Amino acid sequence: MAETPTLRERARRAARAEITATAMQLFAENGFEATTIDQITSAVGISRRSFFHYFGSKEDLVLGGTEALGESVRAALEARPKDESAWTAIRAAFLTLRPADKTPEEQLTLARIHHESPSVRARHLEKHLRWQELLAPDVQRRLGLPPTTTPDPRALAFVAAALACVDAAVDAWYRSGGAEDPERVFDEAVETLRR
């Protein structure tokens, strides 16, 4: 049974949500690069120090808690049936990433920032490298590779390819203005890799 969050944790989540919502509005109006941390803190009514209490950088506002997300994807992957193929299992694990708390407009704003901001793209690539390390052990087992103390390069390459398929799907969805079905694009990208 999950523990009920403490009052302090609920207040922290509410503050993070307010800062994020305000920042997203500013990003949508002014662009990510043109929006400063000072503008965000002024609009929310907090100090720069308080901002850095909640977020390590402006990019972290867009990418969210990448460590926590990576752990949730790893847990979802490991929870899949043990005899499920690596592609089927990782696809299902990635589906847990859908941001249920964001409107389609907010999701498009996030995708635009990912697409247009070099600093966010760089952080996104760092996230991919961390996720490869997290997801590779379960993928390695599913591929029938022997266990090793460090991830097998084939498992790392598999995860990197799967993440590239996710990126291609999100990019196609963004470029279509939200009309494209990202799951279909992901499946088509995976099918192309498997040929």
Side-chain angles (χ1 to χ4, degrees):
M1 186 169 148
E3 290 184 28
T4 304
T6 64
L7 177 61
R8 179 182 296 238
E9 181 58 31
R10 290 192 308 272
R12 182 172 172 76
R13 288 180 190 173
R16 282 180 63 90
E18 182 179 350
I19 296 165
T20 300
T22 301
M24 290 303 158
Q25 182 178 352
L26 290 170
F27 296 157
E29 293 169 4
N30 308 318
F32 179 81
E33 300 296 340
T35 302
T36 66
I37 290 174
D38 287 337
Q39 289 171 318
I40 297 166
T41 59
S42 177
V44 178
I46 61 173
S47 67
R48 283 180 64 86
R49 183 176 180 190
S50 292
F51 175 88
F52 288 112
H53 179 71
Y54 293 103
F55 298 97
S57 68
K58 190 170 69 165
E59 290 77 13
D60 288 345
L61 280 164
V62 177
L63 294 173
T66 57
E67 297 298 326
L69 281 174
E71 287 295 336
S72 71
V73 172
R74 182 191 55 74
L77 179 63
E78 290 176 355
R80 300 298 305 167
K82 297 299 180 198
D83 60 344
E84 198 168 55
S85 77
W87 281 116
T88 301
I90 205 162
R91 180 188 190 277
F94 285 155
L95 286 176
T96 65
L97 291 173
R98 286 184 163 165
D101 61 336
K102 303 228 180 311
T103 67
E105 294 78 21
E106 290 170 328
Q107 291 177 35
L108 279 171
T109 297
L110 285 171
R112 179 173 49 81
I113 293 167
H114 274 258
H115 187 75
E116 296 174 355
S117 169
S119 62
V120 171
R121 289 180 81 81
R123 284 293 273 260
H124 184 71
L125 291 174
E126 288 176 26
K127 175 192 82 171
H128 276 210
L129 293 173
R130 288 193 303 270
W131 285 23
Q132 286 176 39
E133 294 286 330
L134 278 175
L135 304 179
D138 190 74
V139 166
Q140 187 167 326
R141 182 191 59 74
R142 290 177 189 278
L143 293 174
L145 301 171
T148 54
T149 55
T150 59
D152 187 293
R154 294 168 288 182
L156 291 169
F158 180 98
V159 176
L163 288 166
C165 291
V166 169
D167 285 346
V170 171
D171 190 57
W173 173 80
Y174 162 70
R175 290 175 187 268
S176 72
E180 192 70 68
D181 177 6
E183 286 184 48
R184 182 186 57 74
V185 175
F186 175 84
D187 291 340
E188 288 174 353
V190 168
E191 189 55 40
T192 299
L193 288 177
R194 296 177 74 176
R195 288 184 188 161

